[in-house]
Amino acid sequence: MLAIRNLSFRYPTANVAALTEVSFEARRGEVLGLLGPNGAGKTTLIAHLSGLLPLQSGDITVDDQPLAAMRARQPTRIAVAPQEYAFYPSLSVAENLACFAGVGSLSGSDKKSRIAECLAFSQLERYASVHADRLSGGLKRRLNLAIALLHRPELLLFDEPTVGVDPQSRAFLLQAIKQLAQDGCAVIYTSHYMEEVEAIADRVVILDQGRVLTQGLLTELLNASGTLLQLAVEGDEMDRLKTLLSPFGEVTPHGVGVQLTLASRRSFAAVIAAVDAAGMVVSHARFGHADLEQLFMSLTDHALRD
């Protein structure tokens, strides 16, 4: 649905570009996880898609139409659920929905039915008459979601939608977002919570310093990193353990133990047998492919970002 080609942007007073030659696609029926450390360019990218920044260089199209032209004709095809609370605190939940429905030219029976449907989808019926400023953090996030859905958008942008919510609300929001993609929407989901993105994303784009570091199907990106074994043993055996495991692949420190990227034709069972034969006692072991956080850290390094 959405295609971004060679998008570059520099703020007038900036010394470096916020985005440089960024290209990727968002498809109907999929959740695209957009990841990057602070300053990576995610906010600038979302601002472009929201119509808040003009194009300087590159192209953004929706179904092969230029984004600006599409927005002029059909501004409600794209909706944003921002990190901030995007509603009027002094209005009730129902009044907020009615207000935003009117802004998008919904009226009459269609307006009434959409408000009812969005209340139901976000499970806010019980709170329809409650003022928004009296809602819990999780309910406020669900109101953000309900407002974003009012006009049946085809592309949904979620920017850190679970900040400050309880585990139950987080699980509900993630399932709801996944359901929207399954129902045919294109979803772009940005978050610093890697486990959330790993749970719902079909594809992933990782940005840093305004450039795309990698992108593709999440399963393929994780599998490409090889098979990993994280291992710790009892006692002060770190150096001996690293020496023992080096014939089996690449060994790097990991917490109180090591992480081994298994070489081709080397098996987990052979590693454990070698450790046992050396008289070491395993205190922790984890076997499998890299998770999204490990992939992210390997690409963006461990340096703190402002």
Side-chain angles (χ1 to χ4, degrees):
M1 179 188 181
L2 172 76
I4 298 173
R5 294 286 179 265
N6 302 317
L7 180 64
S8 298
F9 186 85
R10 184 194 295 266
Y11 291 97
T13 59
N15 294 323
V16 297
L19 297 171
T20 304
E21 298 290 315
V22 170
S23 298
F24 64 85
E25 296 178 354
R27 306 178 184 185
R28 285 182 175 84
E30 290 186 348
V31 176
L32 177 72
L34 179 63
L35 304 175
N38 292 333
K42 303 187 300 298
T43 300
T44 301
L45 181 55
I46 290 174
H48 275 86
L49 300 179
S50 306
L52 300 177
L53 287 176
L55 283 176
Q56 287 181 351
S57 177
D59 298 294
I60 304 177
T61 59
V62 177
D63 290 335
D64 297 323
Q65 303 175 59
L67 175 65
M70 185 281 297
R71 292 190 66 88
R73 289 192 298 269
Q74 298 172 292
T76 59
R77 286 186 71 189
I78 300 177
V80 183
Q83 180 175 347
E84 299 77 17
Y85 296 134
F87 47 74
Y88 296 102
S90 61
L91 299 182
S92 71
V93 168
E95 288 168 342
N96 266 288
L97 289 170
C99 176
F100 284 97
V103 169
S105 301
L106 282 174
S107 61
S109 59
D110 192 23
K111 175 180 177 180
K112 184 177 180 179
S113 65
R114 280 306 294 159
I115 290 174
E117 289 165 5
C118 291
L119 282 171
F121 184 84
S122 302
Q123 295 186 17
L124 288 172
E125 299 102 319
R126 292 171 48 203
Y127 306 95
S129 61
V130 178
H131 282 199
D133 60 358
R134 298 179 183 175
L135 298 174
S136 67
L139 291 173
K140 288 176 179 177
R141 293 294 175 190
R142 281 152 60 182
L143 179 54
N144 263 12
L145 172 64
I147 291 170
L149 298 180
L150 274 169
H151 302 284
R152 300 183 179 89
E154 298 172 50
L155 173 62
L156 281 154
L157 312 176
F158 290 95
D159 186 11
E160 301 281 354
T162 63
V163 172
V165 305
D166 60 88
Q168 289 82 3
S169 294
R170 175 175 285 112
F172 171 81
L173 288 166
L174 294 177
Q175 182 56 44
I177 292 167
K178 187 69 175 177
Q179 185 62 53
L180 290 168
Q182 292 171 350
D183 290 343
C185 290
V187 174
I188 296 178
Y189 187 92
T190 179
S191 176
H192 289 297
Y193 299 122
M194 298 294 157
E195 70 277 9
E196 290 185 0
V197 178
E198 193 166 352
I200 67 171
D202 302 287
R203 295 178 179 272
V204 169
V205 174
I206 298 180
L207 294 175
D208 195 14
Q209 298 179 346
R211 297 179 182 272
V212 174
L213 299 183
T214 192
Q215 63 175 300
L217 286 169
L218 177 60
T219 52
E220 292 181 355
L221 292 176
L222 296 182
N223 290 341
S225 62
T227 304
L228 303 179
L229 170 62
Q230 295 170 3
L231 191 67
V233 296
E234 295 180 359
D236 186 15
E237 298 274 18
M238 176 71 81
D239 291 339
R240 184 169 170 234
L241 180 62
K242 289 167 63 176
T243 301
L244 177 69
L245 298 185
S246 59
F248 294 92
E250 181 183 356
V251 183
T252 55
H254 181 83
V256 297
V258 299
Q259 178 170 283
L260 170 67
T261 303
L262 282 174
S264 177
R265 299 183 181 179
R266 292 291 191 171
S267 71
F268 167 71
V271 174
I272 296 301
V275 171
D276 184 61
M280 298 180 187
V281 178
V282 175
S283 59
H284 168 79
R286 182 183 177 191
F287 179 69
H289 293 290
D291 59 25
L292 185 56
E293 182 170 354
Q294 291 169 323
L295 173 64
F296 180 86
M297 295 297 284
S298 70
L299 291 171
T300 61
D301 74 47
H302 293 66
L304 290 174
R305 307 299 174 87
D306 296 325

